[in-house]
């Protein structure tokens, strides 16, 4: 029996099955609070949750599945109206990532969150999951946990971290491009408003800017469409990938700073040598550092002991710790494979970006050409009218 599933997830980063909508604020005892309508397509349910319900879900998932990729929630803070949409978007992205996970997505904790419509929802969650053991504690003792190649895992972690940094840079550039296009749409809308205003018409009389105004409207509509597509089709999908990779990096840090730190302490105490000498001996003198100067135990670590015979005495604390390390490494390996799998959608995301960018610039070029010709026509028309007025005055 293999405790770690390598099966692909049912979801896809490009096709979220969770929709979170903001419900109008309600009055609390002291402050107003917001509710969110959470619609799950896979469970065919619609429930209402507050931010504290998301915090409860996150807490239970972290306690029961500490060896899985679980992104951070959007921060809790007193929100201005302009930030409500940002939090709603963050909660939707967070739920999308969690629901796509092959283990977390099937968790009864998440199912309860998405489907329980009772008034005492929080109490029921507490009764059902407050004292539930974590994933490792529920593992059967006869499950074999071979020691993973940690050098390979370390190389994969470094690669995924670099990809995350690249995606962060891409997302920033795409956001800036969308902002500029949004600003252009606002500028063109304002140009149209000014040209259609009575003030301008009074100055030019019958010679109006109708044709020029139409080109401004077309440019504004095209820019608005481009911004919407960029944010919904491209930036949203990149954001999901970024959250996945950030969660993977956090998982590696938790395993390293928690389980493996305890493992080193236990071995150091058992063998009676310093932790620094133990760490060097475990790595064979080839310690590998990550970008933050921290290290991961190499593949020469002491392999876990197994207790396959149910008649044997209970495992010692050191044996349990060895086994927990092996389980954590298997989870890291599985989560790394899952992150790599989700990254396969990146070429399609960038292709969508290139396609939208190409179409946008092509249409804007056509609009600008027509717009320039209409400005030229207006100039020629105005000049001819001025000459005619001058001739009439001379006669």
């Amino acid at each position: 029996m293999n405790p770690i599933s390598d099966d692909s997830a049912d979801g896809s980063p490009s096709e979220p099955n969770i929709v979170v909508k903001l419900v109008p604020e309600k009055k609390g005892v002291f402050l107003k609070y917001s509710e969110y309508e959470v619609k799950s397509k896979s469970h065919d349910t619609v429930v209402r949750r507050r931010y504290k319900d998301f915090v409860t879900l996150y807490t239970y998932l972290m306690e029961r599945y500490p060896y899985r990729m679980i992104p951070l929630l959007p921060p809790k803070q007193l929100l201005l109206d302009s930030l409500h949409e940002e939090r709603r978007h963050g909660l939707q992205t967070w739920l999308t990532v969690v629901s796509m996970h092959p283990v977390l997505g099937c968790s009864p904790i998440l199912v309860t969150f998405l489907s329980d419509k009772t008034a005492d929802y929080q109490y029921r969650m507490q009764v059902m999951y407050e004292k539930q053991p974590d994933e490792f504690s529920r593992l059967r003792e006869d499950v074999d946990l071979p020691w993973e190649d940690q050098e390979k895992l370390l190389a994969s972690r470094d690669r995924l971290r670099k990809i995350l940094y690249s995606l962060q840079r891409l997302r920033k550039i795409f956001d800036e491009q969308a902002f500029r296009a949004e600003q252009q749409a606002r500028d063109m809308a304002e140009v149209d408003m000014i040209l259609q205003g009575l003030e301008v018409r009074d100055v030019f009389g019958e010679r109006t800017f109708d044709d020029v105004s139409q080109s401004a409207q077309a440019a504004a509509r095209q820019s608005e469409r481009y911004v919407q597509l960029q944010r919904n089709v491209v930036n949203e999908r990149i954001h999901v990938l970024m959250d996945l990779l950030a969660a993977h990096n956090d998982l590696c840090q938790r395993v390293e700073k928690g389980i493996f730190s305890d493992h080193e302490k236990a071995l150091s105490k058992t063998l009676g040598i310093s932790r620094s000498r133990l760490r060097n001996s475990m790595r064979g003198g080839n310690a590998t550092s990550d970008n933050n100067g921290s290290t991961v135990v190499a593949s020469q670590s002491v392999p876990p002991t197994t207790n396959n015979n149910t008649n044997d005495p209970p495992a010692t604390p050191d044996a349990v710790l060895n086994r927990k390390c092996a389980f954590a490494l298997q989870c890291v390996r599985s989560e790394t494979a899952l992150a790599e799998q989700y990254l396969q959608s990146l070429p399609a995301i960038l292709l969508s970006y290139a396609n939208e960018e190409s179409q946008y610039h092509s249409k804007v070029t056509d609009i600008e050409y027509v717009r320039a010709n209409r400005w030229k026509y207006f100039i020629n028309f105005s000049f001819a009218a001025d000459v005619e007025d001058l001739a009439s005055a001379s006669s």
Side-chain angles (χ1 to χ4, degrees), residues 361-392:
H361 286 293
S362 176
K363 292 179 180 179
V364 167
T365 300
D366 294 341
I367 292 173
E368 289 295 333
Y369 176 77
V370 173
R371 184 173 160 212
N373 285 337
R374 285 173 174 171
W375 275 110
K376 187 181 299 183
Y377 170 80
F378 174 79
I379 293 171
N380 293 335
F381 178 79
S382 299
F383 178 76
D386 290 340
V387 171
E388 183 179 348
D389 292 342
L390 181 61
S392 299

Side-chain angles (χ1 to χ4, degrees), residues 12-38:
S12 166
S14 60
E15 298 178 358
N17 59 10
I18 300 289
V19 177
V20 178
K21 294 182 179 180
L22 180 64
V23 179
E25 287 184 326
K26 295 186 176 182
K27 293 285 187 178
V29 178
F30 299 105
L31 297 172
K32 294 188 296 183
Y33 65 90
S34 298
E35 280 190 333
Y36 301 91
E37 182 182 271
V38 181

